[in-house]
Amino acid sequence: MAARNTARKRAFQILFEADQRGVDVLTVLADWVRHSRTDTRQPPVSEYTMELVEGYEKHASRIDELISQYAVGWTLDRMPVVDRNILRLGAHELIWVDGTPDAVVLDEAVQLAKEFSTDESPAFINGLLGRFKDLKPSLRRGE
């Protein structure tokens, strides 16, 4: 399972970089893949990282809409960049990736928040993704 953990972390980093640079996530993904192929010091971008980033991109507008709708007291643009991108990745994997147990998605998102964000972020991310888990069937239909 360590490979999937690493894949999620890299997918988060790609989403974060794209958000910070104001560019498309697929552009950043392509940069990472190209860089890993031309610089032996860079680890390869795994298939699962690519699946997560490409899957997020496919549902990006719906994911941002859901986060905006259910994040009580936070607008998407006011949300810390780290939290916003952990939520984006977690929402995609939770709602549209059937092969990963919901509890694993929530736990991995919380771990990313503990590693990269504020002390308050893990609880916020767990709460919002927990709400998405509870509403998952209706959220998926609402595309």
Side-chain angles (χ1 to χ4, degrees), residues 12 16 79-86 109-125:
F12 156 71
F16 178 84
M79 200 174 287
V81 179
V82 169
D83 295 1
R84 178 170 58 231
N85 287 288
I86 292 170
V110 167
Q111 291 308 313
L112 284 171
K114 286 179 180 177
E115 184 173 348
F116 293 104
S117 200
T118 68
D119 290 341
E120 295 80 25
S121 294
F124 171 68
I125 286 168

Side-chain angles (χ1 to χ4, degrees), residues 6 26 32-33 40 46-47 50-51 70 88 95 100 104 107 123 126:
T6 300
L26 296 181
W32 277 53
V33 170
T40 56
S46 75
E47 191 67 35
M50 289 188 265
E51 287 176 27
Y70 289 99
R88 285 171 168 165
I95 298 167
T100 307
V104 171
D107 184 59
N126 188 58

Side-chain angles (χ1 to χ4, degrees), residues 20 25 28 31 36-37 43 45 71 85 89 104 115 129 131 133 143:
Q20 284 290 96
V25 293
V28 175
D31 290 346
S36 72
R37 290 180 180 159
V45 177
N85 287 288
L89 181 63
V104 171
E115 184 173 348
L129 290 179
R131 180 81 170 125
K133 179 182 79 68
E143 284 187 87

